[in-house]
Amino acid sequence: AVREVYGSLHPILRVAVASTTLAEKELVITDIRRTPDDYSAMGLTPRQSSLHYQQHNGFVHAVDLRTIGHSEFRNFLLEIGLKVMGFQTIRHVGTADHLHVALPTGN
């Protein structure tokens, strides 16, 4: 099941995550593919569109990476590194502290 979900991630994001693990051995993916039911299960209103949904090309265009339990400096470097690679990043803090990483809109 893990391979199937990981295989659904856009190849460019797969390469970026794999490359990032070379520098950050403790990188943890917390979410890749979602459905509207997943949002409901989390107590959130299902989104009409999400880059975590399978896109028109058959791939998911977003991944969430764990930031909770890591230093702010490490999380800052992770976010900046992915931005430099050209990805969109959004840091969600709170109980579900994570970094949302996505292909630039329109890809």
Side-chain angles (χ1 to χ4, degrees):
V2 172
R3 283 188 181 165
E4 179 187 338
V5 172
Y6 188 72
S8 71
L9 187 60
H10 193 282
I12 292 173
L13 273 170
R14 272 189 269 158
V15 169
V17 169
S19 299
T20 302
T21 60
L22 296 174
E24 174 52 63
K25 303 287 187 219
E26 295 181 16
L27 189 72
V28 174
I29 297 171
T30 59
D31 207 353
I32 297 175
R33 185 174 57 198
R34 289 186 190 152
T35 65
D37 290 339
D38 294 325
Y39 284 96
S40 296
M42 291 185 280
L44 302 170
T45 302
R47 304 185 77 163
Q48 288 188 6
S49 65
S50 169
L51 293 177
H52 285 287
Y53 296 161
Q54 184 173 325
Q55 304 297 304
H56 66 279
N57 63 2
F59 293 106
V60 174
H61 289 193
V63 62
D64 291 340
L65 305 175
R66 179 171 293 152
T67 52
I68 195 166
H70 295 283
S71 74
E72 286 303 314
F73 182 69
R74 175 264 189 192
N75 293 334
F76 172 77
L77 290 179
L78 177 63
E79 184 171 6
I80 293 302
L82 290 162
K83 280 184 179 185
V84 166
M85 285 190 245
F87 297 101
Q88 294 176 332
T89 62
I90 301 170
R91 176 83 183 273
H92 295 285
V93 295
T95 56
D97 192 359
H98 67 278
L99 183 64
H100 172 85
V101 181
L103 290 176
T105 304
N107 289 324

